[in-house]
Amino acid sequence: MRAIRVSQFGGPEVLKVEQNLLIPEARDDQVVVQVKAAGVNPIETYIRSGAHGPKPTPNFALPYTPGADAAGIVTAVGSGIQSFKLRKPFSAGAMNPLTSKTRE
């Protein structure tokens, strides 16, 4: 897997492509999505710069991957998940990620 990662706050130069990242496994309450398209919102540029938004905490740590708006295909489903199915389309939006949808 590859992703653009931010390891320190700063300008666009802190965006780095990382190759050969581990593909995550779905925990009981999670799905894994192979992202086909991701969008970076203006607020994410402020977060990247360190001017606004989360600072490193137990719930947010560097490095992170920007692009909270995403669409792709579900590749793994945790045992506690009933509403998402393997190989189905998936989309998520940064404004309300808990209401992500798949289409049957």
Side-chain angles (χ1 to χ4, degrees):
M1 181 177 86
R2 69 181 171 154
I4 294 176
R5 306 281 282 160
V6 175
S7 295
Q8 65 187 49
F9 295 116
E13 68 279 358
V14 304
L15 297 166
K16 305 290 182 196
V17 176
E18 292 187 17
Q19 305 282 346
N20 303 318
L21 296 169
L22 295 176
I23 296 173
E25 294 184 20
R27 295 183 182 147
D28 290 345
D29 61 345
Q30 296 177 329
V31 298
V32 175
V33 175
Q34 181 182 18
V35 175
K36 301 291 188 176
V40 177
N41 286 301
I43 188 67
E44 292 181 275
T45 63
Y46 303 135
I47 294 169
R48 183 209 67 230
S49 72
H52 185 273
K55 302 293 184 218
T57 67
N59 293 325
F60 177 83
L62 295 173
Y64 79 96
T65 303
D69 292 341
I73 304 296
V74 175
T75 59
V77 179
S79 63
I81 302 293
Q82 303 298 317
S83 57
F84 295 97
K85 305 294 182 206
L86 284 175
R87 296 177 296 282
K88 293 294 183 179
F90 175 95
S91 64
M95 296 306 292
N96 196 355
L98 298 178
T99 60
S100 302
K101 298 182 177 74
T102 61
R103 291 180 287 282
E104 294 292 331

